[in-house]
Amino acid sequence: MKRMSPHSDDASRLKLGILLSGRGSNFLAIAESIRAGRLKGVEIAVVISNVAEAPGIQAAREMGLPTAVFVSKGRKREEHDADVSAYLKAHEVDLVCLAGYMRLLSPQFVAAFPHRILNIHPSLLPAFPGLDAQEQALNYGVKVTGCTVHFVDEELDHGAIVVQRALAVLEADDAHSLAERILKEEHIAYTEAIARVVSGEYEVRGRRYVKRASGPE
Ligand code: GRF
């Protein structure tokens, strides 16, 4: 992968492809980090939604970013994913960021971007994978939960962990208040995770994402 540097010119900027299905607050947080200079050397090359009316894709359009909609409903996973994957490749996307993308990726998609797909999940994985993670955590009675940014592999919410942020579950919490506080942490975590990946200073060793022993690739 290209390596980011604080003085990257346009040509050497690392290209992000954002995939979303809904609200898009994580996408907006990433975009704001880039705008504010907290995330240097990257640009959003394209925002893709699998849901035509997703508020996130509407927001991307209003920001003037390149957008595409590939409706997934009623299509075979492999066929839909092949279209999305080809589109990302055509736009020379280096790193795919799933930001509330409510769809499992086919093994072919995952293989097309080895260790180049990030996902964010609203729990401290491996606890509470799958849907309604905040409610799962609350109902289980954990005192600490949080969010995880991880590489995507072929299993649900499973790949090597890049960044986690933890927070306390309060006695007064319900699933809504907990989800709101986790979301604030998500917005910080995703920027941290992208910065870590594009720095070129880390590598996947087994399940661990750790600093390289011998400098960047
Ligand atoms: C977030 O809670 C994320 O962790 C989960 O889906 C939600 C998406 O929220 N994967 P948003 O669309 O980014 O606002």
Side-chain angles (χ1 to χ4, degrees), residues 93-115:
V93 164
D94 300 295
L95 182 64
V96 180
C97 300
L98 307 186
Y101 189 63
M102 303 307 283
R103 199 167 159 86
L104 271 179
L105 300 182
S106 62
Q108 292 86 343
F109 192 122
V110 175
F113 294 92
H115 288 137

Side-chain angles (χ1 to χ4, degrees), residues 22-27 99-100 102 119-122 134 183 186-187:
R23 175 177 60 181
S25 74
N26 277 289
F27 147 60
M102 303 307 283
N119 182 43
I120 186 150
H121 183 76
Q134 305 94 330
L183 193 62
E186 292 184 37
H187 296 163

Side-chain angles (χ1 to χ4, degrees), residues 70 74-85 103 106 108:
F70 290 91
R75 293 195 69 200
K76 283 199 179 132
R77 186 178 312 283
E78 288 70 23
E79 289 173 9
H80 173 261
D81 279 9
D83 287 350
V84 175
S85 174
R103 199 167 159 86
S106 62
Q108 292 86 343

Side-chain angles (χ1 to χ4, degrees), residues 54-77:
I57 201 76
Q58 184 58 34
R61 275 189 210 113
E62 283 163 15
M63 291 166 72
L65 288 168
T67 61
V69 173
F70 290 91
V71 175
S72 56
K73 203 169 179 193
R75 293 195 69 200
K76 283 199 179 132
R77 186 178 312 283

